[in-house]
Coordinates of all heavy atoms in Angstrom, one line a residue:
M1 N -7.5 9.4 10.7 CA -6.2 9.0 10.3 C -5.6 10.2 9.5 O -6.2 10.7 8.6 CB -6.3 7.8 9.4 CG -4.9 7.1 9.1 SD -5.0 5.6 8.2 CE -5.3 4.4 9.5
E2 N -4.4 10.6 9.9 CA -3.7 11.7 9.3 C -3.1 11.3 7.9 O -2.9 10.1 7.7 CB -2.5 12.1 10.2 CG -2.9 12.7 11.5 CD -3.7 14.0 11.4 OE1 -3.3 14.8 10.6 OE2 -4.7 14.2 12.1
P3 N -2.9 12.3 7.0 CA -2.3 11.9 5.7 C -1.0 11.1 5.8 O -0.8 10.2 4.9 CB -2.1 13.3 5.1 CG -3.1 14.2 5.8 CD -3.2 13.7 7.2
E4 N -0.2 11.5 6.7 CA 1.1 10.7 6.8 C 0.9 9.3 7.1 O 1.5 8.4 6.6 CB 2.0 11.4 7.9 CG 2.5 12.8 7.6 CD 1.4 13.8 7.9 OE1 0.5 13.6 8.7 OE2 1.6 15.0 7.4
E5 N -0.1 9.0 8.0 CA -0.5 7.6 8.4 C -1.0 6.9 7.2 O -0.7 5.7 7.0 CB -1.4 7.6 9.6 CG -0.9 8.1 10.8 CD -2.0 8.3 11.9 OE1 -2.7 9.2 11.8 OE2 -2.0 7.3 12.7
I6 N -1.9 7.5 6.4 CA -2.5 6.9 5.3 C -1.4 6.5 4.3 O -1.3 5.4 3.7 CB -3.6 7.8 4.6 CG1 -4.8 7.9 5.6 CG2 -4.0 7.3 3.2 CD1 -5.8 8.9 5.1
G7 N -0.5 7.5 4.0 CA 0.6 7.2 3.1 C 1.5 6.1 3.5 O 1.9 5.3 2.7
K8 N 1.8 6.1 4.8 CA 2.7 5.1 5.3 C 2.0 3.7 5.2 O 2.7 2.7 4.9 CB 3.0 5.4 6.8 CG 4.0 4.5 7.4 CD 4.3 5.0 8.9 CE 5.7 4.7 9.3 NZ 6.0 5.2 10.6
R9 N 0.7 3.6 5.5 CA 0.0 2.4 5.4 C 0.0 1.9 4.0 O 0.2 0.7 3.7 CB -1.4 2.6 6.0 CG -2.2 1.3 6.2 CD -3.4 1.6 7.0 NE -4.1 0.4 7.4 CZ -3.9 -0.2 8.5 NH1 -3.2 0.3 9.4 NH2 -4.6 -1.3 8.8
I10 N -0.3 2.8 3.0 CA -0.3 2.4 1.6 C 1.0 1.8 1.2 O 1.1 0.8 0.6 CB -0.8 3.6 0.7 CG1 -2.2 3.9 0.9 CG2 -0.5 3.3 -0.8 CD1 -2.7 5.2 0.3
K11 N 2.1 2.6 1.6 CA 3.4 2.1 1.2 C 3.8 0.7 1.8 O 4.3 -0.1 1.1 CB 4.5 3.1 1.7 CG 5.9 2.8 1.3 CD 6.9 3.8 1.8 CE 8.3 3.4 1.4 NZ 9.2 4.4 1.9
L12 N 3.4 0.5 3.0 CA 3.7 -0.8 3.6 C 2.9 -1.9 3.0 O 3.5 -3.0 2.7 CB 3.4 -0.8 5.1 CG 4.4 0.0 6.0 CD1 4.0 0.1 7.4 CD2 5.8 -0.7 5.9
L13 N 1.6 -1.6 2.7 CA 0.8 -2.6 2.0 C 1.3 -2.9 0.6 O 1.3 -4.1 0.1 CB -0.6 -2.2 2.0 CG -1.4 -2.2 3.3 CD1 -2.7 -1.4 3.2 CD2 -1.6 -3.6 3.8
R14 N 1.8 -1.9 -0.1 CA 2.3 -2.0 -1.4 C 3.6 -2.9 -1.4 O 3.8 -3.8 -2.2 CB 2.6 -0.7 -2.0 CG 3.3 -0.7 -3.4 CD 3.5 0.7 -3.9 NE 4.4 1.5 -3.1 CZ 5.7 1.4 -3.0 NH1 6.4 0.5 -3.7 NH2 6.4 2.3 -2.3
E15 N 4.5 -2.6 -0.4 CA 5.8 -3.3 -0.3 C 5.6 -4.7 0.1 O 6.3 -5.6 -0.4 CB 6.7 -2.6 0.7 CG 7.2 -1.2 0.1 CD 8.1 -0.5 1.1 OE1 8.0 -0.8 2.4 OE2 8.8 0.4 0.7
V16 N 4.6 -5.0 1.0 CA 4.4 -6.4 1.4 C 3.9 -7.2 0.1 O 4.3 -8.4 0.0 CB 3.3 -6.5 2.5 CG1 2.7 -7.8 2.6 CG2 3.9 -6.0 3.8
R17 N 3.2 -6.6 -0.8 CA 2.8 -7.3 -2.0 C 3.8 -7.3 -3.1 O 3.6 -7.8 -4.2 CB 1.5 -6.6 -2.5 CG 0.3 -7.0 -1.6 CD -0.8 -6.0 -1.7 NE -2.0 -6.5 -0.9 CZ -2.0 -6.4 0.5 NH1 -1.0 -5.9 1.2 NH2 -3.1 -6.8 1.1
G18 N 5.0 -6.6 -2.8 CA 6.0 -6.6 -3.8 C 5.7 -5.8 -5.0 O 6.3 -6.0 -6.1
L19 N 4.9 -4.7 -4.8 CA 4.5 -3.9 -6.0 C 5.4 -2.6 -6.0 O 5.7 -2.0 -5.0 CB 3.1 -3.4 -5.8 CG 2.0 -4.5 -5.9 CD1 0.6 -4.0 -5.5 CD2 2.0 -5.2 -7.2
K20 N 5.8 -2.2 -7.2 CA 6.4 -0.9 -7.4 C 5.3 0.1 -7.4 O 4.2 -0.1 -7.6 CB 7.2 -0.9 -8.7 CG 8.2 -2.0 -8.9 CD 9.4 -1.7 -8.1 CE 10.5 -2.8 -8.3 NZ 11.5 -2.7 -7.4
K21 N 5.7 1.4 -7.1 CA 4.8 2.5 -7.1 C 4.0 2.6 -8.5 O 2.8 2.8 -8.5 CB 5.5 3.8 -6.8 CG 5.8 4.0 -5.4 CD 6.4 5.4 -5.2 CE 7.0 5.5 -3.8 NZ 7.7 6.7 -3.6
N22 N 4.8 2.5 -9.6 CA 4.2 2.6 -10.9 C 3.2 1.5 -11.1 O 2.1 1.7 -11.7 CB 5.2 2.6 -12.0 CG 5.9 4.0 -12.1 OD1 5.4 5.0 -11.6 ND2 7.1 4.0 -12.7
T23 N 3.5 0.3 -10.6 CA 2.6 -0.8 -10.8 C 1.3 -0.6 -10.1 O 0.2 -0.8 -10.6 CB 3.2 -2.1 -10.3 OG1 4.5 -2.3 -11.0 CG2 2.3 -3.3 -10.6
L24 N 1.4 -0.2 -8.8 CA 0.2 0.1 -8.0 C -0.6 1.2 -8.7 O -1.9 1.2 -8.7 CB 0.5 0.4 -6.6 CG -0.7 0.8 -5.7 CD1 -1.8 -0.3 -5.7 CD2 -0.3 1.0 -4.3
A25 N 0.1 2.3 -9.1 CA -0.6 3.4 -9.7 C -1.4 2.9 -10.9 O -2.6 3.3 -11.1 CB 0.4 4.5 -10.1
N26 N -0.8 2.1 -11.8 CA -1.5 1.6 -12.9 C -2.7 0.7 -12.5 O -3.8 0.8 -13.1 CB -0.6 0.8 -13.8 CG 0.4 1.6 -14.6 OD1 0.2 2.8 -14.8 ND2 1.6 1.1 -14.9
L27 N -2.5 -0.2 -11.5 CA -3.6 -1.0 -11.1 C -4.8 -0.2 -10.5 O -5.9 -0.5 -10.7 CB -3.1 -2.0 -10.0 CG -2.2 -3.1 -10.4 CD1 -1.6 -3.8 -9.2 CD2 -3.0 -4.1 -11.3
A28 N -4.4 0.9 -9.9 CA -5.4 1.8 -9.2 C -6.0 2.8 -10.2 O -7.0 3.4 -9.8 CB -4.8 2.4 -8.0
G29 N -5.3 3.0 -11.3 CA -5.8 4.0 -12.2 C -5.5 5.5 -11.7 O -6.3 6.4 -12.0
V30 N -4.4 5.6 -11.0 CA -4.1 7.0 -10.5 C -2.7 7.3 -11.1 O -1.9 6.4 -11.5 CB -4.1 7.1 -9.0 CG1 -5.4 6.8 -8.4 CG2 -3.0 6.2 -8.4
A31 N -2.4 8.6 -11.1 CA -1.1 9.0 -11.6 C 0.0 8.6 -10.6 O -0.2 8.7 -9.4 CB -1.0 10.5 -11.8
P32 N 1.2 8.1 -11.1 CA 2.3 7.7 -10.2 C 2.7 8.9 -9.3 O 3.1 8.7 -8.2 CB 3.4 7.3 -11.2 CG 2.7 6.9 -12.4 CD 1.5 7.8 -12.5
T33 N 2.7 10.1 -9.8 CA 3.1 11.3 -9.0 C 2.1 11.5 -7.9 O 2.5 11.9 -6.8 CB 3.2 12.5 -9.9 OG1 2.0 12.8 -10.6 CG2 4.4 12.4 -10.9
Y34 N 0.8 11.3 -8.1 CA -0.2 11.4 -7.1 C 0.0 10.4 -6.0 O 0.0 10.7 -4.8 CB -1.6 11.3 -7.7 CG -2.7 11.5 -6.7 CD1 -2.8 12.7 -6.0 CD2 -3.7 10.5 -6.5 CE1 -3.9 12.9 -5.1 CE2 -4.7 10.7 -5.7 CZ -4.8 11.9 -4.9 OH -5.8 12.1 -4.0
L35 N 0.3 9.1 -6.4 CA 0.5 8.1 -5.4 C 1.8 8.4 -4.6 O 1.8 8.2 -3.4 CB 0.7 6.7 -6.1 CG 0.9 5.5 -5.2 CD1 -0.2 5.3 -4.2 CD2 1.2 4.2 -6.0
N36 N 2.8 8.9 -5.3 CA 4.1 9.3 -4.6 C 3.8 10.4 -3.5 O 4.3 10.3 -2.4 CB 5.1 9.8 -5.6 CG 6.4 10.0 -5.0 OD1 7.0 9.1 -4.4 ND2 6.9 11.2 -5.1
D37 N 3.0 11.3 -3.9 CA 2.6 12.4 -3.0 C 1.8 11.9 -1.8 O 2.0 12.3 -0.7 CB 1.8 13.5 -3.7 CG 2.7 14.4 -4.5 OD1 4.0 14.3 -4.4 OD2 2.2 15.1 -5.4
I38 N 0.9 10.9 -2.0 CA 0.1 10.3 -1.0 C 1.1 9.6 0.0 O 1.0 9.7 1.2 CB -1.0 9.4 -1.5 CG1 -2.0 10.2 -2.3 CG2 -1.6 8.6 -0.4 CD1 -3.0 9.3 -3.1
E39 N 1.9 8.7 -0.6 CA 2.8 7.9 0.3 C 3.8 8.8 1.1 O 4.1 8.5 2.2 CB 3.6 7.0 -0.6 CG 2.8 5.8 -1.0 CD 3.7 4.7 -1.6 OE1 4.9 4.8 -1.7 OE2 3.1 3.7 -2.1
A40 N 4.1 10.0 0.6 CA 5.0 10.9 1.3 C 4.2 11.8 2.3 O 4.8 12.5 3.0 CB 5.7 11.8 0.3
G41 N 2.9 11.7 2.3 CA 2.1 12.4 3.2 C 1.8 13.9 2.8 O 1.3 14.7 3.6
R42 N 2.2 14.2 1.5 CA 2.0 15.5 1.0 C 0.5 15.7 0.6 O 0.1 16.9 0.5 CB 2.9 15.8 -0.1 CG 4.4 16.0 0.3 CD 5.3 16.4 -0.8 NE 5.4 15.4 -1.9 CZ 6.3 14.5 -2.0 NH1 7.2 14.4 -1.0 NH2 6.4 13.7 -3.0
K43 N -0.1 14.7 0.2 CA -1.5 14.7 -0.2 C -2.3 13.7 0.5 O -1.8 12.6 0.8 CB -1.7 14.6 -1.7 CG -1.1 15.7 -2.5 CD -1.5 15.7 -4.0 CE -0.9 16.9 -4.7 NZ -1.1 16.9 -6.1
C44 N -3.6 13.9 0.7 CA -4.5 13.0 1.3 C -5.6 12.6 0.2 O -6.2 13.5 -0.3 CB -5.2 13.6 2.5 SG -6.1 12.4 3.5
P45 N -5.7 11.3 -0.1 CA -6.6 10.9 -1.1 C -8.1 11.1 -0.7 O -8.4 11.0 0.5 CB -6.3 9.4 -1.4 CG -5.8 9.0 0.0 CD -5.0 10.2 0.5
T46 N -8.9 11.3 -1.6 CA -10.4 11.3 -1.4 C -10.8 9.8 -1.1 O -10.0 8.9 -1.4 CB -11.2 11.8 -2.6 OG1 -11.0 10.9 -3.7 CG2 -10.8 13.3 -2.9
V47 N -12.0 9.6 -0.6 CA -12.4 8.3 -0.4 C -12.5 7.5 -1.7 O -12.1 6.3 -1.7 CB -13.8 8.3 0.3 CG1 -14.4 6.9 0.4 CG2 -13.7 8.9 1.7
A48 N -12.9 8.2 -2.8 CA -12.9 7.5 -4.1 C -11.5 7.0 -4.5 O -11.4 5.9 -4.9 CB -13.5 8.4 -5.1
Y49 N -10.5 7.9 -4.4 CA -9.2 7.5 -4.8 C -8.6 6.5 -3.9 O -7.9 5.6 -4.3 CB -8.3 8.7 -4.9 CG -8.4 9.4 -6.3 CD1 -9.1 10.6 -6.4 CD2 -7.9 8.9 -7.4 CE1 -9.3 11.3 -7.6 CE2 -8.0 9.5 -8.6 CZ -8.7 10.7 -8.7 OH -8.9 11.3 -9.9
L50 N -8.9 6.6 -2.6 CA -8.4 5.5 -1.7 C -9.0 4.2 -2.0 O -8.4 3.2 -1.9 CB -8.7 5.9 -0.2 CG -8.1 5.0 0.8 CD1 -6.6 4.8 0.7 CD2 -8.5 5.5 2.2
S51 N -10.3 4.2 -2.4 CA -11.0 3.0 -2.8 C -10.3 2.4 -4.1 O -10.1 1.2 -4.1 CB -12.4 3.3 -3.2 OG -13.1 2.2 -3.7
Y52 N -9.9 3.2 -5.0 CA -9.2 2.7 -6.2 C -7.8 2.1 -5.8 O -7.4 1.0 -6.3 CB -8.9 3.8 -7.2 CG -10.1 4.5 -7.7 CD1 -10.1 5.9 -8.1 CD2 -11.3 3.9 -7.9 CE1 -11.2 6.6 -8.6 CE2 -12.4 4.5 -8.4 CZ -12.4 5.9 -8.7 OH -13.5 6.5 -9.2
I53 N -7.1 2.8 -4.9 CA -5.8 2.3 -4.4 C -6.0 0.9 -3.7 O -5.3 0.0 -3.9 CB -5.1 3.3 -3.5 CG1 -4.7 4.5 -4.4 CG2 -3.9 2.7 -2.8 CD1 -4.3 5.7 -3.6
C54 N -7.1 0.8 -2.9 CA -7.3 -0.4 -2.2 C -7.7 -1.5 -3.1 O -7.2 -2.7 -2.9 CB -8.5 -0.2 -1.2 SG -8.0 0.7 0.3
Q55 N -8.4 -1.2 -4.2 CA -8.7 -2.2 -5.2 C -7.3 -2.7 -5.8 O -7.2 -3.9 -6.1 CB -9.6 -1.7 -6.3 CG -11.0 -1.5 -5.9 CD -11.9 -0.8 -6.9 OE1 -11.5 -0.6 -8.0 NE2 -13.1 -0.4 -6.5
G56 N -6.4 -1.8 -6.1 CA -5.1 -2.2 -6.6 C -4.3 -3.0 -5.7 O -3.5 -3.9 -6.1
L57 N -4.6 -2.8 -4.4 CA -3.9 -3.6 -3.3 C -4.7 -4.9 -3.0 O -4.2 -5.7 -2.2 CB -3.7 -2.8 -2.1 CG -2.8 -1.6 -2.1 CD1 -3.0 -0.7 -0.9 CD2 -1.3 -2.1 -2.2
N58 N -5.8 -5.0 -3.6 CA -6.7 -6.2 -3.5 C -7.2 -6.3 -2.0 O -7.2 -7.4 -1.4 CB -6.0 -7.5 -3.9 CG -7.0 -8.6 -4.2 OD1 -8.1 -8.4 -4.6 ND2 -6.6 -9.8 -4.0
I59 N -7.6 -5.2 -1.4 CA -8.2 -5.1 -0.1 C -9.4 -4.2 -0.2 O -9.5 -3.4 -1.1 CB -7.2 -4.6 1.0 CG1 -6.7 -3.2 0.7 CG2 -6.0 -5.6 1.1 CD1 -5.9 -2.6 1.8
S60 N -10.2 -4.3 0.9 CA -11.4 -3.4 0.9 C -11.0 -2.2 1.8 O -10.0 -2.2 2.5 CB -12.6 -4.1 1.6 OG -12.3 -4.4 3.0
L61 N -11.8 -1.1 1.7 CA -11.6 0.0 2.5 C -11.7 -0.3 4.0 O -10.9 0.2 4.8 CB -12.7 1.1 2.2 CG -12.4 2.0 1.0 CD1 -13.6 2.9 0.7 CD2 -11.2 2.9 1.2
S62 N -12.6 -1.2 4.4 CA -12.7 -1.6 5.8 C -11.4 -2.3 6.2 O -11.0 -2.1 7.4 CB -14.0 -2.4 6.0 OG -13.9 -3.6 5.3
E63 N -10.8 -3.1 5.4 CA -9.6 -3.8 5.7 C -8.5 -2.8 5.9 O -7.6 -2.9 6.8 CB -9.2 -4.8 4.7 CG -10.1 -6.0 4.7 CD -9.8 -7.0 3.5 OE1 -9.8 -6.5 2.3 OE2 -9.7 -8.2 3.7
F64 N -8.5 -1.7 5.0 CA -7.5 -0.7 5.1 C -7.5 0.0 6.4 O -6.5 0.3 7.1 CB -7.6 0.3 4.0 CG -6.6 1.4 4.0 CD1 -5.4 1.2 3.4 CD2 -6.8 2.6 4.6 CE1 -4.4 2.2 3.4 CE2 -5.9 3.6 4.6 CZ -4.6 3.4 4.0
F65 N -8.7 0.3 6.9 CA -8.9 1.0 8.2 C -9.0 0.1 9.4 O -9.1 0.7 10.5 CB -10.1 2.0 8.1 CG -9.8 3.1 7.2 CD1 -10.4 3.2 6.0 CD2 -9.0 4.2 7.6 CE1 -10.2 4.3 5.2 CE2 -8.7 5.3 6.8 CZ -9.4 5.3 5.6
A66 N -8.9 -1.2 9.3 CA -9.1 -2.1 10.4 C -8.1 -1.8 11.4 O -6.9 -1.8 11.2 CB -9.1 -3.5 9.9
E67 N -8.5 -1.7 12.7 CA -7.6 -1.4 13.8 C -6.7 -2.7 14.1 O -5.6 -2.5 14.6 CB -8.4 -1.1 15.0 CG -9.2 0.2 14.9 CD -8.4 1.4 15.3 OE1 -7.5 1.3 16.1 OE2 -8.7 2.5 14.8
D68 N -7.3 -3.8 13.9 CA -6.6 -5.0 14.3 C -5.7 -5.6 13.2 O -5.1 -6.7 13.3 CB -7.5 -6.1 14.7 CG -8.5 -6.6 13.7 OD1 -8.6 -5.9 12.6 OD2 -9.2 -7.6 13.9
S69 N -5.6 -4.9 12.0 CA -4.7 -5.4 11.0 C -3.3 -5.3 11.4 O -2.9 -4.4 12.1 CB -5.0 -4.7 9.7 OG -4.6 -3.4 9.8
V70 N -2.5 -6.2 10.9 CA -1.1 -6.3 11.3 C -0.3 -5.6 10.2 O -0.4 -5.9 9.0 CB -0.6 -7.7 11.5 CG1 0.9 -7.8 11.7 CG2 -1.4 -8.4 12.6
M71 N 0.6 -4.6 10.6 CA 1.4 -4.0 9.6 C 2.9 -4.4 9.9 O 3.3 -4.4 11.0 CB 1.3 -2.4 9.8 CG -0.1 -1.9 9.5 SD -0.7 -2.2 7.8 CE 0.5 -1.4 6.9
I72 N 3.5 -4.7 8.8 CA 4.9 -5.2 8.9 C 5.8 -4.2 8.1 O 5.5 -4.0 6.9 CB 5.1 -6.6 8.3 CG1 4.1 -7.6 9.0 CG2 6.5 -7.1 8.4 CD1 4.0 -8.9 8.4
D73 N 6.9 -3.7 8.7 CA 7.8 -2.9 8.0 C 8.8 -3.8 7.2 O 9.6 -4.5 7.9 CB 8.6 -2.0 8.9 CG 9.5 -1.0 8.2 OD1 9.6 -1.1 7.0 OD2 10.2 -0.3 8.9
V74 N 8.7 -3.8 5.9 CA 9.5 -4.7 5.1 C 10.6 -4.0 4.4 O 11.3 -4.6 3.5 CB 8.6 -5.5 4.1 CG1 7.6 -6.4 4.8 CG2 8.0 -4.5 3.1
S75 N 10.9 -2.8 4.8 CA 11.9 -2.0 4.1 C 13.3 -2.6 4.2 O 14.1 -2.3 3.4 CB 11.9 -0.5 4.6 OG 12.2 -0.5 6.0
N76 N 13.5 -3.4 5.3 CA 14.9 -4.0 5.4 C 15.0 -5.3 4.8 O 16.1 -5.9 4.8 CB 15.2 -4.1 6.9 CG 15.4 -2.7 7.5 OD1 15.9 -1.8 6.9 ND2 15.1 -2.6 8.8
L77 N 13.9 -5.8 4.2 CA 14.0 -7.1 3.5 C 14.6 -7.0 2.2 O 14.4 -6.0 1.5 CB 12.6 -7.7 3.4 CG 11.8 -8.1 4.7 CD1 10.5 -8.7 4.4 CD2 12.6 -9.0 5.6
S78 N 15.3 -8.1 1.8 CA 15.8 -8.1 0.4 C 14.7 -8.3 -0.6 O 13.6 -8.7 -0.2 CB 16.8 -9.2 0.2 OG 16.2 -10.5 0.3
E79 N 14.9 -8.1 -1.9 CA 13.9 -8.4 -2.9 C 13.4 -9.8 -2.8 O 12.2 -10.1 -2.9 CB 14.4 -8.0 -4.3 CG 13.4 -8.1 -5.4 CD 12.3 -7.1 -5.2 OE1 12.5 -6.0 -4.6 OE2 11.2 -7.3 -5.7
Q80 N 14.3 -10.7 -2.7 CA 14.0 -12.2 -2.6 C 13.1 -12.5 -1.4 O 12.1 -13.2 -1.4 CB 15.3 -13.0 -2.6 CG 15.0 -14.5 -2.5 CD 14.2 -15.1 -3.7 OE1 14.3 -14.5 -4.8 NE2 13.5 -16.1 -3.5
Q81 N 13.5 -11.9 -0.2 CA 12.7 -12.0 1.0 C 11.3 -11.5 0.8 O 10.3 -12.1 1.3 CB 13.4 -11.4 2.2 CG 14.6 -12.1 2.6 CD 15.4 -11.4 3.7 OE1 15.5 -10.1 3.6 NE2 16.0 -12.1 4.6
R82 N 11.1 -10.3 0.1 CA 9.8 -9.8 -0.1 C 9.0 -10.7 -1.0 O 7.8 -10.8 -0.8 CB 10.0 -8.4 -0.8 CG 10.5 -7.3 0.2 CD 10.5 -6.0 -0.5 NE 11.3 -5.0 0.3 CZ 11.3 -3.8 0.1 NH1 10.7 -3.2 -0.9 NH2 12.0 -3.0 0.9
I83 N 9.6 -11.2 -2.0 CA 8.9 -12.2 -2.9 C 8.4 -13.4 -2.1 O 7.2 -13.8 -2.3 CB 9.8 -12.6 -4.1 CG1 10.0 -11.4 -5.0 CG2 9.2 -13.8 -4.9 CD1 11.1 -11.6 -6.1
L84 N 9.3 -13.9 -1.3 CA 8.9 -15.1 -0.5 C 7.7 -14.7 0.5 O 6.8 -15.5 0.6 CB 10.1 -15.6 0.3 CG 11.2 -16.3 -0.5 CD1 12.4 -16.6 0.3 CD2 10.7 -17.6 -1.1
L85 N 7.8 -13.6 1.1 CA 6.8 -13.1 2.0 C 5.5 -12.9 1.3 O 4.4 -13.4 1.7 CB 7.2 -11.8 2.7 CG 6.1 -11.3 3.7 CD1 5.8 -12.2 4.8 CD2 6.7 -9.9 4.3
N86 N 5.5 -12.3 0.1 CA 4.3 -12.1 -0.7 C 3.7 -13.4 -1.1 O 2.5 -13.6 -1.0 CB 4.7 -11.2 -1.9 CG 3.5 -10.8 -2.7 OD1 2.5 -10.5 -2.1 ND2 3.6 -10.8 -4.0
N87 N 4.5 -14.4 -1.6 CA 4.0 -15.7 -2.0 C 3.4 -16.4 -0.8 O 2.3 -17.0 -0.9 CB 5.1 -16.5 -2.6 CG 5.5 -16.0 -3.9 OD1 4.8 -15.3 -4.6 ND2 6.7 -16.4 -4.3
F88 N 4.0 -16.2 0.4 CA 3.4 -16.9 1.6 C 2.0 -16.2 1.9 O 1.1 -17.0 2.2 CB 4.3 -16.7 2.8 CG 3.8 -17.1 4.1 CD1 3.6 -18.5 4.4 CD2 3.4 -16.2 5.0 CE1 3.0 -18.9 5.6 CE2 2.8 -16.6 6.2 CZ 2.6 -18.0 6.5
I89 N 2.0 -14.9 1.9 CA 0.7 -14.2 2.2 C -0.4 -14.6 1.2 O -1.5 -14.9 1.6 CB 0.9 -12.7 2.2 CG1 1.7 -12.3 3.4 CG2 -0.4 -12.0 2.2 CD1 2.2 -10.9 3.4
K90 N 0.0 -14.7 -0.1 CA -1.0 -15.2 -1.1 C -1.5 -16.6 -0.9 O -2.6 -16.9 -1.2 CB -0.4 -15.0 -2.5 CG -0.3 -13.6 -3.0 CD 0.3 -13.6 -4.4 CE 0.5 -12.2 -4.9 NZ 1.1 -12.2 -6.2
S91 N -0.7 -17.4 -0.3 CA -1.0 -18.8 -0.1 C -2.0 -19.0 1.1 O -2.6 -20.0 1.2 CB 0.2 -19.7 0.2 OG 0.7 -19.4 1.5
L92 N -2.2 -18.0 1.9 CA -3.1 -18.1 3.1 C -4.5 -18.1 2.7 O -5.0 -17.6 1.8 CB -2.8 -17.0 4.1 CG -1.4 -17.0 4.7 CD1 -1.2 -15.8 5.6 CD2 -1.1 -18.3 5.5

């Protein structure tokens, strides 16, 4: 997986969960600027840092790399729609 793909996947997973970059950075124990660089595809995290980010997203590394996982682009959703989607996903 290329750095751009990793960053895009992290961003989508973060947005689906309704997390701000700073919130995920705090949950993962990484610097917000580092997370920003990863999401932008400028940096590629080590396995250890990706593991911390996955913990912040409440998923495993294997779930992150799963081929059959569904990715949803939520960038066009309103904040209220993201909250509703996040609550729905948590209820599953």
Side-chain angles (χ1 to χ4, degrees):
M1 189 177 275
E2 295 295 320
E4 295 82 15
E5 294 173 280
I6 291 173
K8 189 177 211 179
R9 191 170 189 96
I10 290 170
K11 182 178 180 180
L12 286 173
L13 290 167
R14 177 179 60 75
E15 288 178 343
V16 164
R17 286 158 177 75
L19 298 173
K20 302 285 184 194
K21 283 183 193 175
N22 284 343
T23 303
L24 177 56
N26 287 334
L27 289 170
V30 301
T33 54
Y34 183 57
L35 181 60
N36 188 57
D37 286 344
I38 293 170
E39 286 191 0
R42 291 187 294 269
K43 292 192 177 178
C44 189
T46 64
V47 173
Y49 277 105
L50 184 56
S51 176
Y52 302 148
I53 293 167
C54 285
Q55 287 174 11
L57 292 168
N58 201 30
I59 61 170
S60 68
L61 277 171
S62 61
E63 289 171 313
F64 181 84
F65 287 108
E67 296 273 334
D68 62 346
S69 64
V70 176
M71 298 300 297
I72 303 168
D73 183 0
V74 297
S75 61
N76 291 327
L77 296 179
S78 70
E79 186 65 26
Q80 180 62 29
Q81 289 171 321
R82 288 181 192 191
I83 291 169
L84 291 171
L85 178 60
N86 189 39
N87 289 339
F88 172 72
I89 291 169
K90 285 181 180 178
S91 73
L92 298 177

